[in-house]
Amino acid sequence: MKNWSLRSKTFLLLASVVIAATVPLISYFVVTARGLARFGDDPVVTRVLGEAVRNGGSSAGRNEAALALTRYGQIQALRSSIVRQVIVVSVAYCALIILVSLGLGYLFTSRITRPLAILIRATGEFAMDRLDYRLPITTGGEIGTLIHSFNDMADKLLEARREKVLAERKATWQRVARVIAHEIKNPLTPIKLSTERMYEKFLLQSRDFPEVIKGTTATVLHEIENLQKLVESFHTYAKFPDPVPALASVNDIVSEVCGLFTGPDVRIVRDLAPDLPPLMIDRGQIGQALMNIVKNAVEAIAETGRPGTITVATRIEESHVVIRVRDDGPGIASHHRDRLFQPYFTTKKQGSGIGLALTERIVSLHQGDVACDSTPGEGTVITVFLPIRFTRSPDNRHAGAVPGETPMASGSRQPAAQRSGDGESTDH
Amino acid sequence: MNFILTLLVAAKGLFIVGGALGGASNVAIAAPALLPGDSVLAMTCSLTNVYPPELRKLALTGTQILLYLFVETWDTERNRPITRVVAENSLRFDAIGDRFVIVRKPGADSLAFTTADSALAASSRFDRIAILQRPAVSSERSYHFVITGVLGSARIDALENKSLDLMYFWKYRRPSVRTEAYRGADLFAHSRGSAQP
């Protein structure tokens, strides 16, 4: 009964009240009818009246006795029919009252359940992140107040969301500016030193000026090349397109990516859950995100100089499809782990440091999350969480996204790895 | 007050719904016999199971019971009635005289009985009712007869003289029978003897 609808409960209440009100009344009528009908069942009355008719004194008296006897006999003859009629009429009346009450109850509960159904639909729209949905106020009283409060709450939520997006956007710009400044500063220093040395040697007319020219020019050109690569990766990250979702199997994507990495030194093991539902995701982007993770794992194992194993597992956990990539490489130091998903961060000699940042961006665009857990000397686990509710095509909320912007996703979990820049605290 | 109103409704409401309860009525018209005369065709017939127990009790109280017999003559080929005759038997128990009196119409015959059974049986019988005059029929045409029994209304003194439709006791079902067709020439005595349908 706890899960019954409001209408069902109201019907039950009405029916109980009507039955409780009418059944005793009907019983009273029937009992009273039977009681009164017994008046026609007294043989003494019949005998006395009969004697009065036969032996009564005057003609008028005998006529009256005959009439009384007739009436008494009629009650006796008709009492069963009368009682039957009382029962039938009472039951029919009770049934009519019940029907009318239930009909009225249906009408009245509709006036309550209809606005509640609209409210429930509105909360569903909110769950789909449509915060601009508003309810028309078509009624007063408590329901009208509730609708008014709902609309107020929606306005405040939308405003709060806008402020949060602005704040995140600002924080992201600041973070990106810090990273870019740091990455640009690195090649600028050798360029400046080389140019100063070259100029000094020129002024001094040094004998080794040609060799210095050669060396410093090579250095400058190398750093310029690094700057170009930086600009290129920045361009790639900034212009990353919004996902184009379509139903895709995560297991298929995992199998495709794993099939690209074959080699004698790395063994890739697949542990795929058979009951994964298809998700509305951009197959290419998710594949790229997964490829970045697996590629990182392969490169980490290669650095150890010994064979290793990478296990890629898929599971359903709570309301997410989870992809877990575990390697037995060297692991990541804890002070590096915090910056793992920052753009342009890398511990390798080569690489732009943009791969995992792109992975994190792709997963965020799909309203998911990515986390890292690592033990130095034992290996690393990178986990991607993709929400299962993302089985319907979401609205495109990220047109023209700012580089590094984390999309606002209602209900997305907090990342396990805290992302920070240059030792500053994260602003979440 | 509500109970009294319900009682009045019960009487005045003709026990329509209550009539649906209980068993079916098995009143029937038995053995109608045509009696051709020179200029008048007469008929004798009986109704069976006229008095179910409750109606019998009511009759014994002295309430007047009216029983009607409708006899319609139909032109078979044209399928339309040409005459209708209504006979009435009125039964009443006279408590003072301690006898049952039956008054028959048309004719205003009056019969008296001392026992209920004989009175009830006699009231169910209609003897020698004139149902058709010779000038009304054509010798060459065919005719049939539709006979229907109906109970009338009774005045119930115990219910403030409200009228009660006694058809309630027959479950509002009228017994009816249709005879076979006869040639007009066969319905009157100068051409042949009694015709048994």
Side-chain angles (χ1 to χ4, degrees):
Chain A
M1 192 167 166
K2 190 171 66 171
N3 295 327
W4 286 16
S5 68
L6 178 63
R7 183 171 291 168
S8 303
K9 288 178 186 168
T10 308
F11 274 8
L12 181 65
L13 175 66
L14 273 176
S16 304
V17 166
V18 170
I19 289 171
T22 54
V23 167
L25 194 64
I26 294 170
S27 305
Y28 168 72
F29 277 177
V30 170
V31 167
T32 307
R34 284 191 176 140
L36 287 176
R38 279 195 212 103
F39 285 138
D41 197 22
D42 192 343
V44 173
V45 173
T46 308
R47 180 170 54 79
V48 167
L49 287 173
E51 283 175 5
V53 169
R54 285 187 293 275
N55 307 323
S58 65
S59 170
R62 291 172 68 191
N63 284 339
E64 282 184 5
L67 184 59
L69 186 62
T70 298
R71 286 175 176 167
Y72 195 76
Q74 284 170 342
I75 293 174
Q76 196 175 26
L78 294 175
R79 62 182 178 167
S80 305
S81 300
I82 290 174
V83 170
R84 195 185 310 143
Q85 182 70 3
V86 168
I87 293 171
V88 169
V89 169
S90 301
V91 169
Y93 181 70
C94 176
L96 179 67
I97 291 294
I98 288 175
L99 282 174
V100 169
S101 301
L102 291 180
L104 287 175
Y106 178 85
L107 283 173
F108 284 126
T109 53
S110 293
R111 297 178 81 85
I112 296 172
T113 56
R114 204 176 298 126
L116 284 179
I118 294 172
L119 205 57
I120 290 168
R121 191 167 63 240
T123 56
E125 295 290 328
F126 261 46
M128 292 298 297
D129 208 29
R130 296 190 191 116
L131 296 183
D132 54 351
Y133 188 87
R134 297 292 178 271
L135 292 172
I137 301 177
T138 55
T139 182
E142 291 86 347
I143 300 292
T145 305
L146 182 62
I147 292 173
H148 190 74
S149 300
F150 179 88
N151 288 341
D152 274 348
M153 178 196 73
D155 288 336
K156 290 189 175 104
L157 268 175
L158 195 60
E159 187 58 35
R161 181 189 175 186
R162 285 196 195 108
E163 285 173 4
K164 188 177 176 192
V165 166
L166 282 173
E168 284 189 351
R169 193 175 291 178
K170 182 180 166 191
T172 302
W173 269 117
Q174 288 174 339
R175 193 169 59 244
V176 167
R178 273 197 304 274
V179 167
I180 291 175
H182 174 78
E183 296 299 323
I184 291 177
K185 192 171 69 176
N186 284 346
L188 282 180
T189 302
I191 291 173
K192 180 174 179 245
L193 290 174
S194 297
T195 310
E196 283 174 349
R197 186 160 176 250
M198 198 164 48
Y199 185 62
E200 184 186 334
K201 291 291 182 182
F202 170 74
L203 287 178
L204 292 176
Q205 298 282 326
S206 296
R207 216 175 277 169
D208 59 350
F209 182 69
E211 285 77 23
V212 167
I213 284 277
K214 214 191 286 184
T216 53
T217 306
T219 303
V220 168
L221 286 173
H222 176 73
E223 295 304 330
I224 288 173
E225 197 180 320
N226 284 341
L227 276 173
Q228 280 177 332
K229 283 183 186 169
L230 184 72
V231 167
E232 193 58 41
S233 63
F234 180 82
H235 181 80
T236 304
Y237 186 78
K239 290 290 183 183
F240 199 79
D242 289 332
V244 179
L247 272 180
S249 162
V250 169
N251 283 346
D252 287 349
I253 296 171
V254 168
S255 297
E256 274 176 24
V257 169
C258 291
L260 298 173
F261 295 91
T262 56
D265 295 328
V266 176
R267 188 170 74 103
I268 298 187
V269 175
R270 278 173 274 178
D271 176 18
L272 306 181
D275 55 345
L276 288 192
L279 300 182
M280 284 293 288
I281 51 178
D282 187 314
R283 190 190 181 98
Q285 288 189 7
I286 295 295
Q288 185 177 350
L290 187 59
M291 195 177 313
N292 290 341
I293 298 172
V294 174
K295 182 171 167 238
N296 263 20
V298 167
E299 289 171 354
I301 288 173
E303 281 180 7
T304 62
R306 54 175 172 80
T309 303
I310 298 172
T311 305
V312 183
T314 59
R315 291 286 184 271
I316 296 176
E317 289 179 9
E318 292 179 1
S319 57
H320 289 76
V321 166
V322 173
I323 308 169
R324 207 164 260 120
V325 180
R326 182 190 302 273
D327 67 64
D328 54 7
I332 305 171
S334 59
H335 60 277
H336 285 158
R337 215 161 49 228
D338 294 344
R339 302 173 61 192
L340 201 64
F341 297 102
Q342 274 184 12
Y344 319 113
F345 171 78
T346 180
T347 57
K348 303 192 194 75
K349 293 186 183 67
Q350 292 182 353
S352 62
I354 206 74
L356 288 182
L358 267 177
T359 294
E360 192 268 340
R361 181 174 170 81
I362 288 169
V363 173
S364 287
L365 286 174
H366 286 78
Q367 296 195 331
D369 209 349
V370 60
C372 171
D373 191 18
S374 185
T375 305
E378 290 185 13
T380 301
V381 179
I382 305 256
T383 308
V384 173
F385 300 89
L386 293 172
I388 291 179
R389 69 173 174 83
F390 212 63
T391 54
R392 288 193 295 276
S393 177
D395 291 333
N396 185 357
R397 299 183 300 280
H398 312 299
V402 175
E405 177 188 65
T406 302
M408 174 69 176
S410 60
S412 64
R413 64 175 65 214
Q414 290 296 324
Q418 297 295 318
R419 294 185 286 282
S420 61
D422 294 326
E424 293 184 19
S425 61
T426 56
D427 37 346
H428 289 282
Chain B
M1 186 60 185
N2 283 338
F3 172 67
I4 295 172
L5 286 174
T6 304
L7 280 180
L8 291 177
V9 167
K12 188 143 177 83
L14 310 178
F15 304 137
I16 291 175
V17 177
L21 304 176
S25 165
N26 51 3
V27 60
I29 294 174
L34 293 177
L35 306 169
D38 288 338
S39 61
V40 171
L41 175 66
M43 188 186 80
T44 293
C45 90
S46 296
L47 278 71
T48 58
N49 300 313
V50 170
Y51 294 94
E54 283 185 342
L55 183 58
R56 182 189 168 94
K57 266 191 204 172
L58 190 64
L60 297 182
T61 63
T63 305
Q64 185 182 36
I65 307 295
L66 294 171
L67 179 61
Y68 299 96
L69 193 75
F70 291 80
V71 182
E72 290 179 323
T73 305
W74 284 64
D75 185 321
T76 304
E77 280 123 24
R78 289 178 186 156
N79 197 29
R80 59 186 173 103
I82 57 170
T83 63
R84 171 196 266 198
V85 168
V86 180
E88 176 191 299
N89 282 356
S90 163
L91 168 69
R92 195 177 70 83
F93 173 66
D94 179 4
I96 294 175
D98 195 21
R99 57 180 185 160
F100 293 85
V101 176
I102 296 175
V103 176
R104 295 173 166 183
K105 293 177 183 177
D109 291 351
S110 180
L111 303 173
F113 298 85
T114 54
T115 62
D117 290 337
S118 52
L120 296 177
S123 71
S124 304
R125 185 177 171 85
F126 294 83
D127 288 327
R128 304 191 73 84
I129 306 165
I131 61 172
L132 192 61
Q133 304 290 331
R134 193 189 189 108
V137 302
S138 164
S139 300
E140 275 67 47
R141 299 192 73 80
S142 294
Y143 301 90
H144 65 271
F145 303 93
V146 176
I147 307 158
T148 307
V150 178
L151 277 171
S153 297
R155 199 182 64 174
I156 306 297
D157 301 291
L159 293 177
E160 299 179 351
N161 288 328
K162 294 299 177 190
S163 176
L164 173 65
D165 184 355
L166 297 179
M167 284 299 294
Y168 160 77
F169 296 101
W170 285 1
K171 306 293 184 286
Y172 299 97
R173 192 180 75 84
R174 295 179 174 190
S176 185
V177 70
R178 173 183 158 147
T179 67
E180 61 181 357
Y182 301 94
R183 253 179 8 107
D186 295 335
L187 292 176
F188 295 96
H190 77 281
S191 56
R192 62 170 64 185
S194 302
Q196 293 289 335

